[in-house]
Coordinates of all heavy atoms in Angstrom, one line a residue:
A1 N 90.9 65.5 120.7 CA 92.0 65.0 119.8 C 92.7 66.2 119.2 O 92.0 67.1 118.7 CB 91.4 64.1 118.8
K2 N 94.0 66.1 119.0 CA 94.8 67.1 118.4 C 94.7 67.0 116.9 O 94.8 65.9 116.4 CB 96.2 67.0 118.9 CG 97.1 68.1 118.4 CD 98.5 68.0 119.0 CE 99.4 69.1 118.6 NZ 100.7 69.0 119.1
E3 N 94.4 68.1 116.2 CA 94.3 68.0 114.8 C 95.7 67.9 114.1 O 96.7 68.4 114.7 CB 93.7 69.3 114.2 CG 92.2 69.4 114.6 CD 91.5 70.6 114.0 OE1 92.0 71.0 112.9 OE2 90.6 71.1 114.6
A4 N 95.8 67.3 113.0 CA 97.1 67.0 112.3 C 97.7 68.3 111.7 O 98.9 68.5 111.7 CB 96.9 66.0 111.2
H5 N 96.8 69.3 111.4 CA 97.3 70.5 110.8 C 96.8 71.7 111.6 O 95.7 71.9 111.7 CB 96.8 70.6 109.3 CG 97.2 71.9 108.7 ND1 98.5 72.2 108.4 CD2 96.5 73.0 108.4 CE1 98.6 73.4 107.9 NE2 97.4 74.0 107.9
Q6 N 97.8 72.4 112.1 CA 97.4 73.6 112.9 C 98.2 74.8 112.4 O 99.4 74.7 112.2 CB 97.8 73.4 114.4 CG 97.0 72.3 115.1 CD 97.4 72.1 116.5 OE1 98.5 72.6 116.9 NE2 96.6 71.4 117.2
P7 N 97.6 75.9 112.2 CA 98.4 77.1 111.7 C 99.3 77.5 112.8 O 99.1 77.3 114.0 CB 97.3 78.2 111.5 CG 96.0 77.5 111.6 CD 96.2 76.2 112.3
A8 N 100.4 78.1 112.4 CA 101.4 78.6 113.4 C 100.7 79.7 114.3 O 99.9 80.5 113.8 CB 102.6 79.3 112.7
S9 N 101.0 79.6 115.6 CA 100.3 80.5 116.5 C 101.1 81.8 116.5 O 101.6 82.3 117.5 CB 100.3 79.9 117.9 OG 101.6 79.5 118.3
K10 N 101.2 82.4 115.4 CA 101.9 83.7 115.2 C 103.2 83.8 115.9 O 103.5 84.7 116.7 CB 101.0 84.9 115.7 CG 100.0 85.3 114.6 CD 100.8 85.8 113.4 CE 99.9 85.9 112.2 NZ 100.6 85.9 110.9
G11 N 104.0 82.8 115.6 CA 105.4 82.8 116.0 C 105.6 82.5 117.5 O 106.3 83.3 118.1
H12 N 105.1 81.5 118.0 CA 105.4 81.1 119.3 C 106.0 79.8 119.4 O 105.7 78.9 120.3 CB 104.1 81.2 120.2 CG 103.6 82.5 120.4 ND1 102.6 83.1 119.6 CD2 104.0 83.5 121.3 CE1 102.4 84.4 120.1 NE2 103.2 84.6 121.0
F13 N 107.0 79.5 118.6 CA 107.8 78.3 118.7 C 109.1 78.7 119.5 O 109.6 79.7 119.3 CB 108.2 77.8 117.3 CG 107.0 77.3 116.5 CD1 106.5 78.0 115.4 CD2 106.2 76.2 116.9 CE1 105.4 77.6 114.7 CE2 105.1 75.8 116.2 CZ 104.7 76.5 115.1
G14 N 109.5 77.7 120.3 CA 110.7 78.0 121.2 C 112.0 77.4 120.6 O 111.9 76.6 119.7
K15 N 113.1 78.0 121.1 CA 114.4 77.5 120.6 C 114.5 76.0 120.9 O 114.1 75.5 122.0 CB 115.5 78.3 121.3 CG 116.9 78.0 120.9 CD 117.9 78.8 121.5 CE 119.3 78.5 121.0 NZ 120.3 79.3 121.7
G16 N 115.0 75.2 119.9 CA 115.1 73.8 120.1 C 113.9 73.0 119.7 O 113.9 71.8 119.6
E17 N 112.7 73.7 119.5 CA 111.5 73.0 119.2 C 111.5 72.4 117.8 O 112.0 73.0 116.9 CB 110.3 74.0 119.3 CG 109.0 73.3 119.3 CD 107.8 74.3 119.7 OE1 108.1 75.4 120.2 OE2 106.7 73.9 119.5
R18 N 110.9 71.3 117.7 CA 110.8 70.6 116.4 C 109.6 71.2 115.7 O 108.5 71.3 116.2 CB 110.6 69.1 116.5 CG 110.5 68.3 115.3 CD 110.5 66.8 115.5 NE 110.1 66.2 114.3 CZ 108.9 65.6 114.2 NH1 108.0 65.6 115.2 NH2 108.5 65.0 113.1
V19 N 109.8 71.6 114.4 CA 108.7 72.2 113.6 C 108.7 71.6 112.2 O 109.6 70.8 111.8 CB 108.9 73.8 113.5 CG1 108.7 74.4 114.9 CG2 110.2 74.1 112.9
R20 N 107.8 72.1 111.4 CA 107.8 71.8 109.9 C 108.0 73.1 109.2 O 107.4 74.1 109.6 CB 106.4 71.2 109.5 CG 106.3 69.8 109.9 CD 107.0 68.8 109.0 NE 106.5 67.5 109.2 CZ 106.8 66.5 108.4 NH1 107.7 66.6 107.4 NH2 106.4 65.3 108.6
Y21 N 108.8 73.1 108.2 CA 109.1 74.3 107.4 C 108.7 74.0 105.9 O 109.0 72.9 105.4 CB 110.6 74.6 107.4 CG 111.0 75.6 106.4 CD1 110.6 77.0 106.5 CD2 111.7 75.2 105.3 CE1 111.0 77.9 105.6 CE2 112.1 76.2 104.3 CZ 111.7 77.5 104.5 OH 112.1 78.4 103.5
W22 N 107.9 75.0 105.3 CA 107.5 74.8 103.9 C 108.7 75.1 103.0 O 109.2 76.2 102.9 CB 106.4 75.7 103.5 CG 106.1 75.6 102.1 CD1 106.4 76.5 101.1 CD2 105.4 74.5 101.4 NE1 106.0 76.1 99.9 CE2 105.4 74.9 100.0 CE3 104.9 73.3 101.8 CZ2 104.8 74.0 99.1 CZ3 104.3 72.5 100.9 CH2 104.3 72.8 99.5
S23 N 109.2 74.1 102.3 CA 110.3 74.2 101.4 C 109.8 74.4 100.0 O 109.2 73.5 99.4 CB 111.2 72.9 101.4 OG 112.1 73.0 100.4
A24 N 109.9 75.6 99.5 CA 109.5 75.9 98.1 C 110.3 75.0 97.1 O 109.8 74.6 96.1 CB 109.6 77.3 97.8
T25 N 111.6 74.8 97.4 CA 112.5 74.0 96.6 C 111.9 72.6 96.4 O 111.9 72.1 95.3 CB 113.9 73.9 97.2 OG1 114.4 75.3 97.3 CG2 114.8 73.2 96.3
H26 N 111.5 72.0 97.5 CA 111.0 70.6 97.5 C 109.5 70.5 97.4 O 109.0 69.4 97.3 CB 111.5 69.9 98.7 CG 113.0 69.8 98.8 ND1 113.8 69.1 97.9 CD2 113.9 70.4 99.6 CE1 115.1 69.2 98.2 NE2 115.2 70.1 99.3
A27 N 108.8 71.7 97.5 CA 107.4 71.7 97.4 C 106.7 70.8 98.4 O 105.8 70.1 98.1 CB 106.9 71.5 96.0
K28 N 107.3 70.8 99.7 CA 106.7 70.0 100.7 C 107.1 70.6 102.1 O 108.0 71.4 102.1 CB 107.0 68.6 100.6 CG 108.5 68.3 100.8 CD 108.8 66.8 100.7 CE 110.3 66.5 100.9 NZ 110.6 65.1 100.8
W29 N 106.5 70.1 103.1 CA 106.8 70.5 104.5 C 108.0 69.6 104.9 O 107.9 68.4 104.7 CB 105.6 70.3 105.4 CG 104.5 71.2 105.1 CD1 103.4 71.0 104.4 CD2 104.4 72.6 105.6 NE1 102.6 72.1 104.3 CE2 103.2 73.1 105.1 CE3 105.2 73.4 106.4 CZ2 102.8 74.4 105.3 CZ3 104.8 74.7 106.6 CH2 103.6 75.2 106.1
V30 N 109.0 70.1 105.4 CA 110.2 69.4 105.9 C 110.4 69.6 107.4 O 110.1 70.6 107.9 CB 111.5 69.8 105.1 CG1 111.3 69.4 103.6 CG2 111.8 71.2 105.3
D31 N 111.0 68.6 108.0 CA 111.4 68.6 109.4 C 112.5 69.7 109.7 O 113.4 69.8 108.9 CB 111.8 67.3 110.0 CG 110.7 66.3 110.1 OD1 109.6 66.7 110.6 OD2 110.9 65.1 109.8
A32 N 112.4 70.4 110.7 CA 113.4 71.3 111.1 C 113.3 71.6 112.6 O 112.3 71.2 113.3 CB 113.2 72.7 110.4
H33 N 114.3 72.2 113.2 CA 114.4 72.6 114.6 C 114.7 74.1 114.6 O 115.5 74.6 113.8 CB 115.4 71.8 115.3 CG 115.1 70.4 115.6 ND1 115.2 69.4 114.7 CD2 114.5 69.8 116.7 CE1 114.8 68.2 115.2 NE2 114.3 68.5 116.4
V34 N 114.1 74.8 115.6 CA 114.3 76.2 115.8 C 115.7 76.4 116.4 O 115.9 75.8 117.5 CB 113.2 76.8 116.6 CG1 113.5 78.3 116.9 CG2 111.8 76.7 116.0
Q35 N 116.6 77.1 115.8 CA 117.9 77.4 116.4 C 117.9 78.8 117.0 O 118.7 79.0 117.9 CB 118.9 77.3 115.3 CG 119.1 75.8 114.8 CD 120.2 75.7 113.8 OE1 120.3 76.5 112.8 NE2 121.1 74.7 114.0
R36 N 117.1 79.7 116.5 CA 117.1 81.1 117.0 C 115.8 81.7 116.6 O 115.2 81.4 115.5 CB 118.3 81.8 116.3 CG 118.4 83.3 116.8 CD 119.6 83.9 116.2 NE 119.6 85.3 116.5 CZ 120.4 86.2 116.0 NH1 121.3 85.9 115.1 NH2 120.4 87.5 116.3
I37 N 115.3 82.6 117.4 CA 114.1 83.4 117.2 C 114.5 84.8 116.9 O 115.2 85.4 117.8 CB 113.1 83.3 118.3 CG1 112.8 81.8 118.6 CG2 111.9 84.1 118.1 CD1 112.2 81.6 120.0
N38 N 114.2 85.4 115.8 CA 114.6 86.7 115.4 C 113.4 87.7 115.7 O 112.3 87.5 115.1 CB 115.0 86.8 113.9 CG 116.1 85.8 113.6 OD1 117.2 85.8 114.3 ND2 115.9 85.0 112.6
R39 N 113.6 88.7 116.5 CA 112.6 89.6 117.0 C 112.9 91.0 116.6 O 114.1 91.4 116.5 CB 112.3 89.5 118.5 CG 111.9 88.1 118.9 CD 111.8 88.1 120.5 NE 111.6 86.7 121.0 CZ 110.4 86.2 121.1 NH1 109.3 86.8 120.8 NH2 110.3 84.9 121.6
D40 N 111.9 91.9 116.5 CA 112.1 93.3 116.3 C 112.2 93.9 117.7 O 112.2 93.3 118.7 CB 111.0 93.9 115.5 CG 109.6 93.9 116.1 OD1 109.5 93.6 117.4 OD2 108.6 94.1 115.4
E41 N 112.4 95.3 117.7 CA 112.6 96.0 119.0 C 111.5 95.8 120.0 O 111.6 95.8 121.2 CB 112.8 97.5 118.7 CG 114.1 97.8 117.9 CD 113.9 97.6 116.4 OE1 112.7 97.6 116.0 OE2 114.9 97.5 115.7
A42 N 110.2 95.6 119.5 CA 109.1 95.4 120.3 C 108.9 94.0 120.8 O 108.0 93.7 121.6 CB 107.8 95.9 119.5
G43 N 109.8 93.1 120.3 CA 109.7 91.7 120.8 C 108.8 90.8 119.9 O 108.6 89.7 120.2
N44 N 108.3 91.4 118.8 CA 107.6 90.6 117.8 C 108.5 89.7 117.0 O 109.6 90.1 116.6 CB 106.8 91.5 116.8 CG 105.8 92.4 117.6 OD1 105.0 92.0 118.4 ND2 105.9 93.7 117.3
V45 N 108.0 88.4 116.8 CA 108.8 87.5 116.0 C 108.8 87.9 114.6 O 107.7 88.0 114.0 CB 108.3 86.1 116.2 CG1 109.0 85.1 115.4 CG2 108.4 85.7 117.7
L46 N 110.0 88.1 114.0 CA 110.1 88.4 112.6 C 110.4 87.2 111.7 O 109.8 87.0 110.6 CB 111.3 89.4 112.4 CG 111.2 90.7 113.1 CD1 112.4 91.5 112.9 CD2 110.0 91.5 112.5
S47 N 111.2 86.3 112.2 CA 111.6 85.1 111.5 C 112.2 84.1 112.5 O 112.5 84.4 113.6 CB 112.5 85.4 110.3 OG 113.7 85.9 110.8
Y48 N 112.5 82.9 111.9 CA 113.2 81.9 112.7 C 114.4 81.4 112.0 O 114.4 81.3 110.7 CB 112.3 80.6 112.9 CG 111.1 80.8 113.8 CD1 109.9 81.0 113.2 CD2 111.2 80.8 115.1 CE1 108.7 81.2 113.9 CE2 110.1 81.0 115.9 CZ 108.8 81.2 115.3 OH 107.7 81.3 116.1
D49 N 115.5 81.2 112.7 CA 116.6 80.5 112.1 C 116.4 79.0 112.4 O 116.4 78.6 113.5 CB 118.0 80.9 112.7 CG 118.4 82.3 112.2 OD1 117.7 82.9 111.3 OD2 119.3 82.9 112.7
L50 N 116.2 78.2 111.3 CA 115.9 76.8 111.5 C 117.1 76.0 111.0 O 117.9 76.5 110.2 CB 114.7 76.4 110.6 CG 113.4 77.2 110.9 CD1 112.3 76.8 109.9 CD2 112.9 77.0 112.3
T51 N 117.1 74.7 111.3 CA 118.1 73.8 110.8 C 118.0 73.7 109.3 O 119.0 73.5 108.6 CB 118.0 72.4 111.4 OG1 116.7 72.0 111.4 CG2 118.5 72.4 112.9
A52 N 116.8 73.9 108.8 CA 116.5 73.8 107.3 C 116.7 75.1 106.6 O 116.9 75.1 105.4 CB 115.1 73.2 107.1
K53 N 116.6 76.2 107.3 CA 116.6 77.5 106.6 C 116.8 78.7 107.6 O 116.2 78.7 108.6 CB 115.2 77.7 106.0 CG 114.9 79.1 105.3 CD 115.5 79.2 104.0 CE 115.1 80.5 103.3 NZ 115.8 80.6 102.0
A54 N 117.8 79.5 107.2 CA 118.0 80.7 108.1 C 117.0 81.8 107.7 O 116.5 81.9 106.6 CB 119.4 81.3 107.8
Q55 N 116.6 82.5 108.7 CA 115.6 83.6 108.6 C 114.3 83.1 107.9 O 113.8 83.8 106.9 CB 116.2 84.8 107.9 CG 117.3 85.4 108.7 CD 117.9 86.7 108.0 OE1 117.7 87.0 106.9 NE2 118.7 87.4 108.8
A56 N 113.8 82.0 108.3 CA 112.6 81.5 107.7 C 111.4 82.3 108.1 O 111.2 82.6 109.3 CB 112.3 80.0 108.2
D57 N 110.6 82.7 107.1 CA 109.4 83.5 107.4 C 108.4 82.8 108.3 O 108.2 81.6 108.1 CB 108.7 83.9 106.1 CG 107.6 84.9 106.2 OD1 106.5 84.5 106.6 OD2 107.9 86.1 106.1
T58 N 107.8 83.4 109.2 CA 106.9 82.8 110.2 C 105.7 82.1 109.4 O 105.2 81.1 109.9 CB 106.4 83.8 111.2 OG1 105.7 84.8 110.5 CG2 107.5 84.3 112.1
S59 N 105.3 82.6 108.3 CA 104.2 82.0 107.5 C 104.6 80.6 107.0 O 103.7 79.9 106.6 CB 103.8 82.9 106.4 OG 104.8 83.1 105.4
R60 N 105.9 80.3 107.0 CA 106.3 79.0 106.4 C 106.6 78.0 107.5 O 107.1 76.9 107.2 CB 107.5 79.2 105.6 CG 107.3 79.9 104.3 CD 108.6 80.0 103.5 NE 108.4 80.7 102.3 CZ 108.8 80.3 101.1 NH1 109.5 79.2 101.0 NH2 108.6 81.0 100.0
V61 N 106.4 78.4 108.8 CA 106.7 77.5 109.9 C 105.4 77.0 110.6 O 104.5 77.8 110.8 CB 107.6 78.2 110.9 CG1 108.0 77.3 112.1 CG2 108.9 78.7 110.3
R62 N 105.3 75.7 110.8 CA 104.1 75.1 111.4 C 104.5 74.2 112.5 O 105.6 73.8 112.6 CB 103.3 74.4 110.3 CG 102.7 75.2 109.2 CD 101.5 76.0 109.6 NE 100.8 76.6 108.5 CZ 101.2 77.8 108.0 NH1 102.2 78.5 108.6 NH2 100.5 78.4 107.0
D63 N 103.5 73.7 113.2 CA 103.6 72.7 114.2 C 104.2 71.4 113.6 O 104.0 71.1 112.5 CB 102.2 72.4 114.8 CG 102.3 71.5 116.0 OD1 102.5 72.0 117.1 OD2 102.1 70.3 115.8
A64 N 105.0 70.7 114.4 CA 105.7 69.5 114.0 C 104.7 68.4 113.5 O 105.1 67.5 112.7 CB 106.6 69.0 115.1
S65 N 103.5 68.5 113.9 CA 102.5 67.5 113.6 C 101.9 67.7 112.2 O 101.2 66.9 111.6 CB 101.3 67.5 114.6 OG 100.6 68.7 114.5
T66 N 102.3 68.8 111.5 CA 101.9 69.1 110.1 C 102.4 68.0 109.2 O 103.6 67.6 109.3 CB 102.4 70.4 109.6 OG1 101.9 71.5 110.5 CG2 102.0 70.7 108.2
L67 N 101.5 67.4 108.4 CA 101.9 66.4 107.5 C 102.7 66.9 106.4 O 102.6 68.0 105.9 CB 100.6 65.7 106.9 CG 99.6 65.1 107.9 CD1 98.4 64.6 107.2 CD2 100.3 64.0 108.7
E68 N 103.7 66.0 105.9 CA 104.6 66.4 104.9 C 103.9 66.9 103.6 O 104.3 67.8 102.9 CB 105.5 65.2 104.5 CG 106.6 65.5 103.5 CD 107.4 64.3 103.2 OE1 108.2 63.9 104.1 OE2 107.3 63.7 102.1
D69 N 102.7 66.2 103.3 CA 102.0 66.6 102.1 C 100.8 67.5 102.4 O 99.8 67.6 101.6 CB 101.5 65.3 101.4 CG 100.6 64.4 102.2 OD1 100.5 64.7 103.4 OD2 100.1 63.4 101.7
A70 N 100.8 68.1 103.6 CA 99.7 69.1 103.9 C 99.7 70.2 102.8 O 100.8 70.5 102.2 CB 99.9 69.6 105.3
P71 N 98.6 70.9 102.6 CA 98.6 72.0 101.7 C 99.7 73.1 102.0 O 100.0 73.3 103.1 CB 97.2 72.6 101.8 CG 96.4 71.5 102.4 CD 97.3 70.7 103.3
A72 N 100.2 73.7 100.9 CA 101.2 74.7 101.0 C 100.5 75.9 101.8 O 99.3 76.1 101.8 CB 101.6 75.2 99.6
P73 N 101.4 76.8 102.3 CA 100.9 78.1 102.9 C 100.1 78.8 101.8 O 100.3 78.6 100.6 CB 102.1 78.9 103.3 CG 103.2 77.8 103.4 CD 102.8 76.8 102.4
D74 N 99.1 79.6 102.2 CA 98.2 80.3 101.3 C 98.9 81.0 100.2 O 98.5 80.9 99.0 CB 97.3 81.3 102.0 CG 96.3 80.6 102.9 OD1 96.0 79.4 102.7 OD2 95.8 81.2 103.9
F75 N 100.0 81.7 100.5 CA 100.7 82.5 99.4 C 101.4 81.6 98.4 O 101.4 81.9 97.2 CB 101.7 83.4 100.0 CG 102.9 82.7 100.7 CD1 104.0 82.4 100.0 CD2 102.9 82.4 102.0 CE1 105.1 81.8 100.5 CE2 103.9 81.8 102.6 CZ 105.1 81.5 101.9
E76 N 101.8 80.4 98.8 CA 102.4 79.4 97.9 C 101.3 78.8 97.0 O 101.5 78.6 95.8 CB 103.2 78.3 98.6 CG 104.5 78.7 99.2 CD 105.6 79.0 98.2 OE1 105.5 78.4 97.1 OE2 106.5 79.7 98.5
A77 N 100.2 78.4 97.6 CA 99.1 77.8 96.8 C 98.6 78.7 95.7 O 98.3 78.3 94.6 CB 98.0 77.4 97.8
A78 N 98.5 80.0 96.0 CA 98.1 81.0 95.1 C 99.1 81.1 93.9 O 98.7 81.4 92.8 CB 97.8 82.3 95.7
K79 N 100.4 81.1 94.3 CA 101.4 81.3 93.3 C 101.6 80.1 92.4 O 101.9 80.3 91.2 CB 102.7 81.6 94.0 CG 103.8 82.0 93.2 CD 105.0 82.5 94.0 CE 105.8 81.4 94.6 NZ 107.0 81.8 95.3
A80 N 101.6 78.9 92.9 CA 101.9 77.7 92.2 C 100.9 76.6 92.6 O 101.1 76.0 93.7 CB 103.3 77.3 92.4
P81 N 100.0 76.2 91.7 CA 99.0 75.1 92.1 C 99.8 73.8 92.4 O 100.7 73.5 91.7 CB 98.2 75.0 90.8 CG 98.3 76.3 90.2 CD 99.6 76.8 90.5
A82 N 99.3 73.1 93.4 CA 99.9 71.9 93.9 C 100.1 70.9 92.8 O 101.0 70.1 92.8 CB 99.2 71.3 95.1
E83 N 99.1 70.8 91.8 CA 99.2 69.8 90.8 C 100.5 69.9 89.9 O 100.9 69.0 89.3 CB 98.0 69.7 89.9 CG 97.6 71.0 89.3 CD 96.5 71.8 90.1 OE1 96.5 71.6 91.3 OE2 95.8 72.6 89.5
L84 N 101.1 71.1 89.9 CA 102.3 71.3 89.2 C 103.5 70.5 89.8 O 104.5 70.2 89.1 CB 102.7 72.7 89.1 CG 101.8 73.7 88.3 CD1 102.4 75.1 88.4 CD2 101.7 73.2 86.9
F85 N 103.3 70.1 91.0 CA 104.4 69.4 91.8 C 104.2 67.9 91.8 O 105.0 67.2 92.4 CB 104.6 70.0 93.2 CG 104.9 71.4 93.2 CD1 104.0 72.4 93.7 CD2 106.1 71.9 92.7 CE1 104.4 73.7 93.7 CE2 106.4 73.2 92.7 CZ 105.5 74.1 93.2
V86 N 103.2 67.4 91.2 CA 103.0 65.9 91.3 C 104.1 65.2 90.5 O 104.4 65.6 89.4 CB 101.6 65.6 90.7 CG1 101.4 64.1 90.6 CG2 100.5 66.2 91.5
M87 N 104.7 64.3 91.2 CA 105.8 63.5 90.6 C 105.3 62.8 89.3 O 104.3 62.2 89.3 CB 106.4 62.5 91.6 CG 107.0 63.2 92.8 SD 108.4 64.3 92.4 CE 109.6 63.1 92.0
G88 N 106.2 62.8 88.3 CA 105.9 62.0 87.1 C 105.1 62.7 86.1 O 104.7 62.0 85.1
Q89 N 104.8 63.9 86.2 CA 104.0 64.6 85.2 C 104.8 65.7 84.5 O 105.8 66.2 85.1 CB 102.8 65.3 85.9 CG 101.8 64.3 86.3 CD 100.5 65.0 86.7 OE1 100.4 66.2 86.7 NE2 99.5 64.2 87.1

């Protein structure tokens, strides 16, 4: 069975692929599509141009099966605890 949350496989999403992007503005994972893959001279993926965000950091891009309310990427969770984003508080 495929797990609902899978870490990004170090930037192996293809152009046109449906993904989830961590939106710090909305404090949740949002749907997006890969429009472009930005690579360095060695061919390493630096970032993605998504429908939701240009030059999205690879650490904020996950498989499309990631749940909208899945935990934030590690760097976000350390910076801002999730309970600060609970609606109505």
Side-chain angles (χ1 to χ4, degrees):
K2 188 175 180 182
E3 291 185 29
H5 175 71
Q6 296 178 344
S9 55
K10 275 299 165 201
H12 289 100
F13 295 110
K15 186 175 179 181
E17 191 169 347
R18 183 173 163 254
V19 295
R20 286 281 197 170
Y21 167 72
W22 174 256
S23 170
T25 302
H26 300 290
K28 66 180 181 181
W29 294 96
V30 297
D31 286 319
H33 286 84
V34 177
Q35 294 183 311
R36 181 178 174 190
I37 302 163
N38 303 307
R39 300 178 187 270
D40 63 16
E41 297 79 19
N44 299 309
V45 176
L46 297 174
S47 64
Y48 294 102
D49 287 351
L50 305 176
T51 50
K53 174 79 173 178
Q55 297 183 346
D57 190 276
T58 58
S59 65
R60 292 181 181 226
V61 182
R62 296 283 189 274
D63 186 85
S65 64
T66 300
L67 301 176
E68 184 178 291
D69 60 354
D74 291 341
F75 67 90
E76 286 287 339
K79 187 171 76 177
E83 55 265 26
L84 294 179
F85 298 116
V86 175
M87 297 298 286
Q89 290 191 358

